[in-house]
Amino acid sequence: MNLPVSEQLNIQFLLRLFDNKSESYKLFWFKAIMNHVAEGKNTAKYNELVNDMICEAWYMVTEYHLNLGPSDTLEALVHHISHISGMKSSEKRETILEFLHKCEDKKVLTMKRTLTKNVPYRLQAPFFQTLRGNTEWKVPEKEIVEKIRQEERLIYYISELAGMESQIEIQDEWFQYLLENQEIILGWIHFNMITYLQRRNPNVPGISDKLKAPQERKLEKVKKYWNLIASIKPIKEIYGNNIITPKDISIDHFIPWSYVANDELWNLHPTTRTINSSKSNNLPDWDIYFQSLSKIEFAAYKLVWEHEKIHDAFDKCVREHINSADVQYKLYRQGVDFQEFTCNLEEIMHPIYQAAQNVGFRRWKYDICKEG
């Protein structure tokens, strides 16, 4: 992916910022810098940038369970903050920043400082003329900063060195370039982030949809489909055996959306709003609930071929919620019996379910006593 050219600046060095990245820090650090640029700021303190890194990583770590790298300090820091703060994965950025601003937890402060040991300096390594070998870096931080100040035409320099209050200052020509081309540069960072995370999370689908919190999902066609089915034949949801009613219907992703990152019809089924909220993004116990899921999905499948209105509603769902012709043939062609339907559904779902469990999604069982 190319970036806009400049007669004054060496864009080829900029393109090499993310070379040799074994951890995620360079990506998040530069993204934090770009966030400041977008706000018209040409200076930023280390603490501000690290707080921004935490916000950027928050949802992908706490909700999607993405692995940022082997022994990644940023990932561990997000998990620790999530644990001590009790903040939700969907917490607003402003709330996270407010907590970080007031937080005096020693472990948080230590880990934040760890994140600034190398990345503020090594990010710009492609530009350096003197800092070439690894031995050049094995000196006190103050000496590294002095050496960097001798380099020419860097994106930014360290104007003050004072621990987490250290400050970077973006050079005028670079600031104008980054500001004017911010959309393209953010797209470039986005591309590099996806590439990096796909390598670190080879079994996780939909990485490109997991860099930030999702927009509201549109499941109205699916809801109408299930409501129409319930109007013809009463159905009970699979977790608490409650009769589905139009007033209380909620569409659940059996395997959580935060893992699959899609709205495939075979993974969607009706439940109540209360139960769906209780389930959250956990995995329903396979041994307890899969057979019930298969039964309700098969009952819906049968009605598709028995009632024209349901078939019409199904066809509308197909356009948006079935993205594989092979899956559509296996599950929804006319004449499939229950045993074949169940076997095919299990073949499709179980490997995905197991992969979600392997990356940390917890098993869940509905507790009617808690709801009461």
Side-chain angles (χ1 to χ4, degrees), residues 28-29 32-37 39 41-54 97 101 112-113 115-116 119-121 141 156-170:
F28 285 99
W29 179 262
I33 290 173
M34 286 302 301
N35 289 343
H36 275 68
V37 169
E39 295 175 0
K41 300 175 182 177
N42 68 344
T43 63
K45 293 183 178 180
Y46 285 10
N47 196 49
E48 294 173 325
L49 294 172
V50 170
N51 286 350
D52 208 81
M53 291 169 68
I54 293 167
L97 287 174
H101 179 70
K112 287 172 73 172
R113 184 63 178 132
L115 287 173
T116 66
V119 69
Y121 318 116
E141 190 175 21
Y156 63 83
Y157 292 86
I158 314 301
S159 59
E160 296 179 29
L161 187 62
M164 292 304 292
E165 293 300 304
S166 300
Q167 181 170 278
I168 71 166
E169 183 173 339
I170 304 170

Side-chain angles (χ1 to χ4, degrees), residues 117-336:
K117 290 294 185 182
N118 292 305
V119 69
Y121 318 116
R122 288 186 179 252
L123 175 72
Q124 299 189 92
F127 289 85
F128 296 159
Q129 299 299 315
T130 59
L131 284 162
R132 289 296 187 184
N134 284 331
T135 55
E136 296 283 343
W137 295 95
K138 295 179 180 179
V139 295
E141 190 175 21
K142 186 175 181 180
E143 290 185 34
I144 293 177
V145 170
E146 289 302 322
K147 289 185 178 183
I148 287 174
R149 286 173 178 164
Q150 297 170 22
E151 299 285 347
E152 296 182 355
R153 312 200 69 179
L154 300 185
I155 300 173
Y156 63 83
Y157 292 86
I158 314 301
S159 59
E160 296 179 29
L161 187 62
M164 292 304 292
E165 293 300 304
S166 300
Q167 181 170 278
I168 71 166
E169 183 173 339
I170 304 170
Q171 299 306 286
D172 290 343
E173 290 181 347
W174 275 110
F175 179 78
Q176 287 302 317
Y177 176 86
L178 297 176
L179 185 63
E180 291 171 6
N181 299 290
Q182 59 180 290
E183 290 187 10
I184 296 173
I185 294 169
L186 287 172
W188 171 65
I189 297 171
H190 187 91
F191 170 79
N192 278 276
M193 186 78 78
I194 291 170
T195 303
Y196 174 81
L197 290 173
Q198 282 178 333
R199 179 163 60 88
R200 290 296 181 200
N201 302 269
N203 296 319
V204 176
I207 290 290
S208 61
D209 293 315
K210 294 180 176 178
L211 302 193
K212 57 184 179 180
Q215 297 179 344
E216 186 176 355
R217 297 185 289 277
K218 296 179 180 179
L219 298 174
E220 289 307 311
K221 289 184 176 64
V222 178
K223 186 178 288 187
K224 289 179 180 178
Y225 166 69
W226 280 106
N227 269 330
L228 189 58
I229 289 170
S231 71
I232 292 175
K233 182 178 180 180
I235 54 174
K236 293 182 178 181
E237 51 83 28
I238 68 174
Y239 303 126
N241 288 320
N242 298 288
I243 296 289
I244 295 298
T245 65
K247 290 184 178 180
D248 197 31
I249 187 172
S250 180
I251 301 301
D252 173 51
H253 293 71
F254 188 83
I255 304 171
W257 187 95
S258 51
Y259 182 75
V260 296
N262 63 48
D263 300 314
E264 292 292 300
L265 190 62
W266 46 263
N267 191 44
L268 301 173
H269 64 103
T271 187
T272 67
R273 295 176 185 175
T274 302
I275 293 177
N276 205 357
S277 177
S278 174
K279 174 179 174 282
S280 187
N281 67 338
N282 295 313
L283 281 166
D285 189 294
W286 183 272
D287 294 336
I288 296 175
Y289 297 116
F290 174 72
Q291 282 295 321
S292 297
L293 175 70
S294 183
K295 287 177 182 177
I296 193 174
E297 294 283 358
F298 183 73
Y301 154 81
K302 286 180 64 178
L303 291 175
V304 164
W305 293 104
E306 294 172 1
H307 296 270
E308 186 175 349
K309 287 184 178 181
I310 296 180
H311 202 294
D312 289 343
F314 172 77
D315 284 341
K316 290 177 182 177
C317 289
V318 167
R319 299 186 191 110
E320 295 182 24
H321 301 291
I322 300 179
N323 292 300
S324 167
D326 182 55
V327 167
Q328 186 175 346
Y329 176 79
K330 283 184 175 181
L331 293 179
Y332 301 114
R333 74 181 189 277
Q334 192 168 13
V336 177

Side-chain angles (χ1 to χ4, degrees), residues 357-368:
Q357 191 172 27
N358 290 344
V359 299
F361 285 83
R362 293 179 300 175
R363 283 200 182 192
W364 171 86
K365 182 171 65 173
Y366 176 57
D367 187 346
I368 193 171

